[in-house]
Every structure is written in structure tokens, then in C-alpha cells.
Amino acid sequence: GDPERANFGGLIRHGDGKWIIGFSGYLGIANNTFPELMALYHGLKIAREAGNSCADFLAKLGSANDAKLSIWESPPLNIHDILLSDALRVPYARA
């Protein structure tokens, strides 16, 4: 698409859905392909550095600030219900 404000993010969880670590960042102005690639890059790099299997890289978490990269040691409160539903394999309506 057309270049616009670009953010990326993701989270790494155990197979049972338990939070390991999350991350998010701001890229400036970019098209929609660059943030996807940066989310994959940072997720795989963080997983490797933490000694986790890269297969644990599961989902994206967007960034609402201008930090180039933020590491989240625990999940933000606004996604607890989503993570719980996912761990229990229960559908969660986002709208």
C-alpha cells in the first residue's frame, strides 16, 4: 500500500499460551511490507537470543508509541483476555 506511519510487534509464548516476552516498535513512514518483515526479524532474533525455539513466535502486537524497539516482560493488560481465550482454544471476538 501507500507509505504511512508504520509500527510492528509480536509476542513469544510457551506452547500452552503462557507469555514469555513481547516486543513492539516504530519504523517511521513505510509501506505495509516492511513492518511485517521487521516483526519477523525482531521476533526470531529475540527468540534466538533468549534460547527459545523460533517456532514459539506466534502473533503480532502493534506499537502505539515512537520507540524503535520496546521489550515487554509481561503482557499488556488490554490483551489478557485474548491470550486466555487463545490458550483455552476459545474464539475471541475482536470487534
Side-chain angles (χ1 to χ4, degrees):
D2 293 328
E4 59 185 43
R5 180 182 170 89
N7 302 294
F8 68 93
L11 60 99
I12 299 169
R13 300 184 295 172
H14 291 282
D16 63 0
K18 184 178 176 187
W19 181 277
I20 296 174
I21 197 165
F23 61 94
S24 61
Y26 173 65
L27 298 169
I29 304 300
N31 64 24
N32 58 0
T33 303
F34 188 55
E36 297 289 336
L37 293 172
M38 293 307 291
L40 287 171
Y41 168 77
H42 284 292
L44 294 172
K45 182 178 175 188
I46 291 166
R48 186 185 70 219
E49 289 172 356
N52 294 302
S53 167
C54 292
D56 289 338
F57 181 74
L58 298 176
K60 293 186 290 182
L61 173 67
S63 172
N65 60 37
D66 293 343
K68 296 297 181 192
L69 179 65
S70 300
I71 304 295
W72 304 81
E73 296 293 335
S74 59
L77 294 176
N78 61 341
I79 67 167
H80 276 265
D81 291 343
I82 296 170
L83 293 172
L84 179 60
S85 295
D86 187 63
L88 296 173
R89 304 208 188 293
V90 174
Y92 183 89
R94 296 186 200 193

